Amino acid sequence: MRLRNVPGSRDVIAESPYTIKDETTRKGTWGEIFGNDNPIYIEIGMGKGQFIMELARSNPDKNYVGIEKYSSVLVRALEKQDEEQFPNIYFIRMEAEYIADVFAENEVAGIYLNFSDPWPKDRHAKRRLTSVQFLERYDRILAPEGHIVFKTDNRELFDFSLEQVEMADKWELLNHTYDLHNSPYVTGNVMTEYETRFVAKGNPICRMEICRRESW
Ligand code: SAH
């Protein structure tokens, strides 16, 4: 994500009724925040929110939480939300490393990771959102039958992610493709900002879906 400082974005986030500020005190209370018991889906690294806001629009019976570490990016999603006012979405500005402090065990029905930062240096591998370290964090919040769906155009990051799933005994690869837009999984696909850009450039998009192994 190209970073341009957006003056005042921290204030906008602090004042928005759609952002959760004291997120580490909200563990286990998300049903109260939304005012219903609908399942909660999260996108980690949502950028400007195109994908998750489209999901919120088309699935009013599901709840969504968009997570993004940079204020300057998150503020763009808040601008859209000011117009749309979807009742089934909230946003958090946070570093995803602390995700298990924000949601309780089983509180999350599904996790989306779209075009996550590649962290190409080996010594930064554990920062990748599909590393075994992050899979362990997701394991602490995701419902037993919950899925994680990951899309990227970065083949190295995708291959790394496939390896991590294999290494983490708890997880099972449900399906994967190296070319989403020429695969059956494209049915119902919701495009992200990055995906729109990369598809226009002709880059194939990789996608995988994982869940817990039955034996766990
Ligand atoms: N999902 C969007 C944006 C992809 S760019 C899309 O597909 O269009 C990746 C985004 O993830 C950036 O906005 C970046 O700031 C955010 N991000 C990366 N690592 C993160 C982390 N550890 N915690 C929270 N957000 C993160």
Side-chain angles (χ1 to χ4, degrees), residues 90-137:
Y90 282 97
F91 302 92
I92 313 175
R93 194 203 63 74
M94 67 173 280
E95 162 54 56
E97 201 182 327
Y98 307 107
I99 196 75
D101 297 334
V102 174
F103 297 96
E105 208 178 322
N106 301 343
E107 203 169 20
V108 172
I111 301 176
Y112 296 102
L113 306 171
N114 293 315
F115 300 85
S116 310
D117 294 0
W119 291 105
K121 292 187 179 133
D122 282 348
R123 69 171 192 278
H124 290 148
K126 62 176 185 298
R127 298 188 191 175
R128 299 174 193 151
L129 294 184
T130 49
S131 63
V132 287
Q133 289 84 356
F134 270 97
L135 291 177
E136 159 63 23
R137 295 176 183 123

Side-chain angles (χ1 to χ4, degrees), residues 1 43-47 67-70 73 94-97 114-117 129 134 192-195:
M1 180 64 61
E43 183 185 7
I44 303 182
M46 61 142 199
I67 292 163
E68 168 54 49
K69 68 176 165 186
Y70 287 121
V73 185
M94 67 173 280
E95 162 54 56
E97 201 182 327
N114 293 315
F115 300 85
S116 310
D117 294 0
L129 294 184
F134 270 97
T192 82
E193 276 123 26
Y194 273 46
E195 188 173 1

Side-chain angles (χ1 to χ4, degrees), residues 1-9 12-13 19 46-50 53 68 70-84 91 193:
M1 180 64 61
R2 197 167 349 119
L3 278 182
R4 205 158 10 97
N5 185 40
V6 178
S9 56
V12 172
I13 289 166
T19 54
M46 61 142 199
K48 296 177 191 166
Q50 176 180 309
M53 293 182 80
E68 168 54 49
Y70 287 121
S71 312
S72 308
V73 185
L74 171 54
V75 81
R76 298 301 177 209
L78 294 179
E79 283 167 5
K80 274 184 266 173
Q81 176 65 358
D82 272 341
E83 286 167 31
E84 303 278 8
F91 302 92
E193 276 123 26

Side-chain angles (χ1 to χ4, degrees), residues 24-179:
T24 51
T25 66
R26 301 305 188 104
K27 202 171 174 166
T29 72
W30 285 91
E32 289 163 36
I33 294 175
F34 284 106
N36 61 51
D37 288 331
N38 293 343
I40 298 168
Y41 293 80
I42 67 176
E43 183 185 7
I44 303 182
M46 61 142 199
K48 296 177 191 166
Q50 176 180 309
F51 170 86
I52 194 165
M53 293 182 80
E54 185 50 41
L55 292 189
R57 179 203 305 282
S58 35
N59 301 285
D61 54 343
K62 293 178 177 167
N63 294 326
Y64 295 92
V65 179
I67 292 163
E68 168 54 49
K69 68 176 165 186
Y70 287 121
S71 312
S72 308
V73 185
L74 171 54
V75 81
R76 298 301 177 209
L78 294 179
E79 283 167 5
K80 274 184 266 173
Q81 176 65 358
D82 272 341
E83 286 167 31
E84 303 278 8
Q85 310 210 350
F86 297 130
N88 57 335
I89 190 163
Y90 282 97
F91 302 92
I92 313 175
R93 194 203 63 74
M94 67 173 280
E95 162 54 56
E97 201 182 327
Y98 307 107
I99 196 75
D101 297 334
V102 174
F103 297 96
E105 208 178 322
N106 301 343
E107 203 169 20
V108 172
I111 301 176
Y112 296 102
L113 306 171
N114 293 315
F115 300 85
S116 310
D117 294 0
W119 291 105
K121 292 187 179 133
D122 282 348
R123 69 171 192 278
H124 290 148
K126 62 176 185 298
R127 298 188 191 175
R128 299 174 193 151
L129 294 184
T130 49
S131 63
V132 287
Q133 289 84 356
F134 270 97
L135 291 177
E136 159 63 23
R137 295 176 183 123
Y138 305 148
D139 183 43
R140 287 156 64 190
I141 61 172
L142 187 66
E145 66 287 358
H147 292 190
I148 302 176
V149 185
F150 170 52
K151 292 195 278 188
T152 182
D153 71 323
N154 186 313
R155 183 63 189 261
E156 289 79 36
L157 179 63
F158 193 68
D159 288 339
F160 165 85
S161 308
L162 289 171
E163 281 167 24
Q164 298 290 291
V165 171
E166 201 155 309
M167 275 171 61
D169 299 333
K170 270 199 182 175
W171 297 91
E172 178 179 331
L173 186 62
L174 272 177
N175 56 65
H176 71 296
T177 171
Y178 297 101
D179 191 1

